[in-house]
């Protein structure tokens, strides 16, 4: 039996492959399922999940899975059914506790998905106070008994105010630094005793509304209170108010106290959460203070009885409540006495009265007075005193930190508020949002660039300053931000009590019409008489002691003004004598005499000297016009001379440019000033004035008043009159005051009236 040899396996595979004409079939894999298509999935991102009231939270849906275009993103915040549309949203929580927010997405295919997140809102904390800052002064001289502030809802940043009783029914619109914006009459309304003002969005009309309660009752005899409801004016009406004497339209309602009580109220509040109005009232007999409510709606031509809410025993010891305010969100309530203020935090879930049972938050003592009001954004409180040119104070709160969104450029300024020029401001990079550290910076401050990390800049001009900052971090990444800094005009100097330096000794000085203080001869005043006298100058000490007479070679027609300063042509101090009076307005030209100032020996007997080497400037007005003029000023910065006309209507200002050599010249018109318009009051006849030795202060007097402007560095006189505030510096009461000259050191101004043996008045100005 023959045995077969087995075929090797490799050969067998080769034979089989050859017989099939190709490679063997691979081992087949089981079929795989196609990947699942992404589905619409809503995802909420929050910049914070908890915090105290009021809590602002930013929501974003960017992390959501959206295979198709989103057609609608709706947010529901769970408070009173509040909703919002959009891929992002912001919401301010005013009620403590856990809150659920829901995001619902809808795409073009009709798909929807919803998700939720929770925000834990803590009860409110007392706000930290950054500090108190003087923002400026009340500019309008007639706003001299301010008894209320109200923040505008129609014009953010604007404040409304009014005077106490016995003033016309009118409202003043002012900037936060006290600058006058407009004055509005309230026609046919009665200001028996307006004590406070409040504002808000009227719950019925939906319009920004000013509410004024004629609620003061010092006489204890009023049983009804008129509440005036005034729709805030348009921007156009605001701009034209002073020009056309615009009055505001109004409606009114009447409120009465329960049981026909007769109470005195100086606090009027609007609650933005409910639209209710509140009065804080005091019983004159018992001294007890109570809170009363007038619920919304507030309908014209109705009479309603107020609701008693609760007693306020705090004011039994603290003193009468003089003013109050509620924050724009209704989450903070402030009441003040004349020299203290108290703040309560309020949960939106709590009633007004319940909030006043809570903790009293400490506040710095505001300016003594009646007025206090939240800023339109709730960032602090404005307060002022009941006085002309009173300071406007801002009590600033520390704002909660804003979460970082990656690398951010941020900066801070010191001081943070109260930027009245001249002022030094320090700029600092906020490194909170620069985790890699600062490698370099570039600032652009008012057009100037610097790479200093913390630059400090001195500002001498008011207005808006542009700020830009670029930071580069340690990893080489950069970020940029920008902002502005508002610089307010310098504060008006406060006139101190008028001093009497002495009495004019010479009986020949009986119509003093020009006055100048010498720097060449310390302690000497130069003076001349009005028309009717000869061409002569008198020297006297600041106490009025007669030192002599210096006579000019030409005749005097109508000497009306004098000014003083170093003359560049003469190379020494000069007296500029203005033969510029023209009551009949018929002169073809007027004359200014340039007199080299002679030396005066205050210890020698009076002298009588004839002057020589006098330069006469023959001046004509543009167009050959004639003007009466009693005010001549010299600008120490330029040497230019300025003539201010006197006619009772429009005061025109003309310039004679330096240098001053004998000859004929045409004056240049530079500005007009209407002394009949606000903020000016009293006489509109300009009778004297001067520019201080530094050129920064300009004073102009009339028969009844004196006005001062602060001129900023590099500012023209025309620009000063157009933009600077006019400060009332209280001219002394004089029989016929036609002189005003700064003292040699510029710290105050001197006046002497026409008449025999008149006192020499000095008004110090501080600072």
């Amino acid at each position: 039996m023959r045995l077969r040899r087995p075929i090797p396996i490799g050969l067998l595979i080769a034979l089989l492959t050859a017989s099939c004409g190709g490679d063997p079939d691979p081992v087949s894999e089981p079929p795989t399922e196609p990947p699942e298509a992404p589905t619409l999935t809503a995802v909420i991102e929050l910049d914070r999940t908890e915090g105290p009231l009021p809590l602002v939270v930013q929501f974003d849906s960017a992390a959501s899975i959206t295979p198709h275009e989103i057609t609608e993103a709706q947010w529901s915040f769970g408070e009173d059914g509040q909703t919002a549309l959009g891929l992002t949203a912001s919401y301010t929580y005013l009620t403590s506790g856990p809150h659920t927010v829901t995001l619902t997405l809808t795409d073009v295919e009709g798909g929807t998905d919803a998700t939720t997140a929770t925000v834990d809102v803590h009860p409110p904390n007392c706000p930290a106070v950054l500090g108190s800052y003087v923002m400026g002064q009340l500019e309008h001289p007639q706003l001299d008994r301010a008894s209320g502030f109200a923040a505008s809802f129609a014009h953010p940043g604007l404040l409304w105010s009014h005077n106490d009783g016995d003033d016309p029914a009118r409202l003043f619109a002012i900037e936060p630094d006290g600058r006058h914006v407009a004055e509005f009459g309230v026609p046919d309304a009665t200001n028996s005793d307006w004590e406070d003002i409040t504002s808000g969005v009227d719950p019925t009309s939906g319009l920004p509304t000013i509410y004024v309660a004629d609620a003061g009752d010092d006489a204890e005899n009023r049983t009804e209170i008129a509440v005036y409801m005034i729709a805030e004016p348009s921007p156009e009406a605001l701009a034209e108010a002073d020009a056309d004497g615009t009055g505001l339209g109004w409606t009114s309602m009447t409120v009465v106290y329960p049981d026909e009580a007769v109470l005195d109220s100086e606090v009027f509040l609007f609650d933005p959460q409910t639209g209710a109005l509140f009065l804080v009232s005091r019983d004159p007999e018992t001294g007890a203070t109570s809170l009363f409510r007038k619920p919304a709606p507030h309908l014209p031509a109705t009479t309603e009885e107020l609701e008693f809410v609760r007693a306020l025993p705090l004011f039994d010891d603290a003193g009468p409540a003089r003013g109050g305010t509620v924050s724009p969100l209704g989450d903070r309530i402030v009441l003040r006495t004349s020299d203290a203020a108290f703040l309560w935090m309020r949960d939106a879930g709590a009633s007004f009265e319940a909030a006043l049972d809570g903790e009293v938050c400490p506040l710095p003592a505001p300016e003594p007075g009646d007025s206090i009001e939240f800023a339109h954004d709730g960032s602090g409180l404005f307060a002022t005193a009941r006085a002309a040119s009173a300071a406007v104070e801002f009590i600033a709160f520390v704002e909660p930190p804003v979460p970082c969104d990656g690398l951010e450029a941020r900066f801070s300024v010191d001081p943070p508020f109260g930027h009245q020029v001249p002022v030094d401001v320090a700029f600092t990079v906020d490194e909170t949002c620069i985790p890699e550290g600062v490698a370099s910076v570039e600032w652009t401050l008012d057009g100037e660039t610097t790479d200093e990390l913390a630059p400090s800049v001195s500002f001498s001009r008011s207005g808006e300053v542009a700020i830009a900052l670029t930071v580069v971090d340690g990893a080489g990444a950069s970020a940029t931000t920008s902002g502005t800094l508002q610089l307010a005009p310098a504060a008006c100097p406060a006139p101190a009590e008028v001093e009497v330096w002495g009495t004019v000794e010479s009986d020949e000085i009986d119509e003093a019409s020009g006055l100048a203080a010498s720097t060449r001869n310390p302690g000497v005043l130069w003076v001349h008489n009005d028309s009717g006298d000869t061409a002569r100058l008198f020297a006297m000490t600041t106490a009025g002691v007669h030192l002599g007479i210096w006579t000019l070679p030409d005749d005097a027609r109508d000497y009306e003004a004098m000014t003083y300063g170093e003359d560049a042509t003469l190379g020494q101090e000069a007296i500029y004598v203005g033969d510029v009076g023209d009551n009949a307005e018929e002169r073809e030209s007027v004359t200014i005499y340039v007199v080299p100032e002679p030396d005066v020996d205050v210890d020698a007997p009076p002298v009588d000297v004839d002057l020589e080497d006098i330069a006469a400037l023959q001046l004509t007005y543009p167009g050959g016009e004639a003007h009466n003029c009693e005010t001549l000023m010299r600008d120490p910065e330029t040497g230019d001379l300025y003539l201010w006309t006197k006619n009772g209507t429009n005061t025109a200002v003309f310039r004679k440019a330096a240098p001053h050599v004998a000859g004929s010249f045409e004056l240049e018109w530079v500005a007009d000033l209407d002394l009949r318009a606000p903020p000016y009051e009293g006489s509109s006849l300009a009778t004297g004035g001067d520019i201080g030795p530094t050129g920064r202060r300009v004073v102009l007097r009339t028969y009844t008043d004196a006005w001062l402007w602060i001129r900023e560095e590099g500012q023209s006189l025309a620009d000063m009159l157009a933009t600077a505030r006019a400060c009332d510096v209280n001219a002394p009461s004089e029989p016929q005051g036609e002189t005003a000259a700064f003292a040699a050191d510029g710290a105050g101004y001197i006046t002497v009236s026409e008449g025999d043996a008149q006192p020499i008045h000095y008004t110090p100005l501080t600072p």
Side-chain angles (χ1 to χ4, degrees), residues 153-154 198-211 227-232 251 253 270-272 274-277 294-300:
F153 277 70
T198 189
S199 60
V201 177
D202 186 82
T204 302
S205 68
L207 297 175
T209 301
I210 304 164
Y211 301 90
V227 176
Y228 296 99
M229 299 174 285
I230 306 164
E232 289 204 51
T251 59
M253 61 182 176
F270 177 85
D271 179 8
T274 65
L277 294 167
K294 162 63 181 71
H298 312 302
L299 303 178

Side-chain angles (χ1 to χ4, degrees), residues 615-626:
L617 313 179
Q618 300 294 330
L619 307 175
T620 57
Y621 291 100
E625 296 177 349

Side-chain angles (χ1 to χ4, degrees), residues 66-93:
T66 56
H68 304 290
E69 179 184 356
I70 297 299
T71 57
E72 183 179 275
Q74 184 177 64
W75 304 86
S76 176
F77 302 105
E79 284 196 333
D80 301 324
Q82 294 290 322
T83 61
L85 295 175
L87 297 176
T88 62
S90 176
Y91 191 73
T92 301
Y93 289 95

Side-chain angles (χ1 to χ4, degrees), residues 470-624:
T470 298
V471 297
V472 178
D473 69 8
S478 64
T480 299
T481 190
S482 61
T484 57
L485 183 69
Q486 296 294 333
L487 299 174
C492 290
E497 184 176 351
V498 176
E499 302 172 10
V500 177
W501 278 358
T503 302
V504 176
E505 179 183 62
S506 173
D507 58 6
E508 296 187 71
I509 303 174
D510 55 1
E511 287 190 82
S513 184
L515 182 69
S518 175
T519 55
R520 181 184 181 91
N521 300 289
V524 171
L525 300 177
W526 292 100
V527 64
H528 65 65
N529 282 319
D530 203 341
S531 61
D533 196 14
T534 57
R536 57 181 178 167
L537 307 179
F538 299 85
M540 62 181 179
T541 69
T542 53
V545 176
H546 179 59
L547 299 175
I549 298 173
W550 282 258
T551 303
L552 281 70
D554 292 347
D555 293 333
R557 180 168 176 177
D558 192 356
Y559 279 14
E560 287 288 359
M562 176 191 293
T563 191
Y564 178 89
E566 184 170 347
D567 188 90
T569 302
L570 295 174
Q572 71 154 82
E573 294 82 359
I575 306 166
Y576 302 87
V577 182
D579 190 347
V580 293
D582 188 10
N583 288 325
E585 296 188 349
E586 61 185 11
R587 296 177 65 173
E588 295 181 0
S589 66
V590 295
T591 305
I592 294 176
Y593 295 100
V594 184
V595 180
E597 183 183 10
D599 293 326
V600 180
D601 186 349
V602 297
D603 297 319
V607 298
D608 196 336
V609 179
D610 290 330
L611 292 168
E612 299 178 351
D613 301 322
I614 309 302
L617 313 179
Q618 300 294 330
L619 307 175
T620 57
Y621 291 100

Side-chain angles (χ1 to χ4, degrees), residues 605-677:
V607 298
D608 196 336
V609 179
D610 290 330
L611 292 168
E612 299 178 351
D613 301 322
I614 309 302
L617 313 179
Q618 300 294 330
L619 307 175
T620 57
Y621 291 100
E625 296 177 349
H627 296 278
N628 188 28
C629 173
E630 294 190 6
T631 304
L632 177 63
M633 302 183 191
R634 176 188 174 276
D635 184 353
E637 291 190 347
T638 64
D640 295 345
L641 298 173
Y642 289 91
L643 289 78
W644 302 57
T645 64
K646 171 191 176 185
N647 58 20
T649 54
N650 181 69
T651 299
V653 184
F654 297 90
R655 180 176 66 140
K656 161 61 180 71
H660 307 302
V661 295
S664 298
F665 308 92
E666 182 176 294
L667 294 166
E668 174 194 3
W669 173 88
V670 294
D672 285 325
L673 180 67
D674 189 352
L675 291 172
R676 301 164 301 170

Side-chain angles (χ1 to χ4, degrees), residues 411 442-446 466-470 480-483:
F411 64 86
E442 181 178 273
W443 296 89
T444 301
L445 304 171
D446 202 20
I467 304 168
L469 169 65
T470 298
T480 299
T481 190
S482 61

Side-chain angles (χ1 to χ4, degrees), residues 166-364:
D166 298 326
D167 193 62
R170 56 179 172 171
L171 298 177
F172 298 88
I174 64 173
E175 298 282 3
D177 61 7
R179 280 179 291 176
H180 174 70
V181 175
E183 176 190 344
F184 288 91
V186 187
D188 301 321
T190 300
N191 180 1
S192 298
D193 196 356
W194 289 9
E195 288 290 0
D196 202 7
I197 182 174
T198 189
S199 60
V201 177
D202 186 82
T204 302
S205 68
L207 297 175
T209 301
I210 304 164
Y211 301 90
V212 182
D214 195 1
D217 191 11
D218 294 333
E220 304 175 22
N221 59 7
R222 302 175 64 187
T223 58
E224 295 183 343
I225 297 171
V227 176
Y228 296 99
M229 299 174 285
I230 306 164
E232 289 204 51
S234 67
E236 294 75 19
L238 197 65
E240 299 172 0
D242 286 340
D244 61 11
T246 299
L248 293 173
W250 55 271
T251 59
S252 70
M253 61 182 176
T254 301
V255 295
V256 297
Y257 291 107
D259 302 322
E260 298 182 347
V262 177
L263 306 177
D264 181 32
S265 176
E266 297 192 10
V267 184
F268 193 34
L269 308 170
F270 177 85
D271 179 8
Q273 294 187 8
T274 65
L277 294 167
F278 289 85
L279 283 169
V280 177
S281 306
R282 184 173 180 269
D283 188 325
E285 294 183 0
T286 66
T289 301
S290 302
L291 179 69
F292 295 87
R293 174 172 47 223
K294 162 63 181 71
H298 312 302
L299 303 178
T302 59
T303 299
E304 290 192 38
E305 183 175 281
L306 295 167
E307 299 175 0
F308 171 80
V309 177
R310 56 164 294 162
L312 296 174
L314 170 67
F315 297 97
D316 294 344
D317 297 324
R322 298 290 190 189
T325 180
V326 181
S327 65
L329 295 176
D331 64 313
R332 297 174 181 180
I333 302 167
V334 170
L335 297 175
R336 71 165 295 172
T337 64
S338 61
D339 55 6
F342 312 94
L343 184 148
W344 293 265
M345 303 300 294
R346 177 193 185 194
D347 191 312
S351 65
F352 205 87
E353 53 269 34
L356 298 177
D357 281 327
E359 176 187 2
V360 179
C361 300
L363 282 178

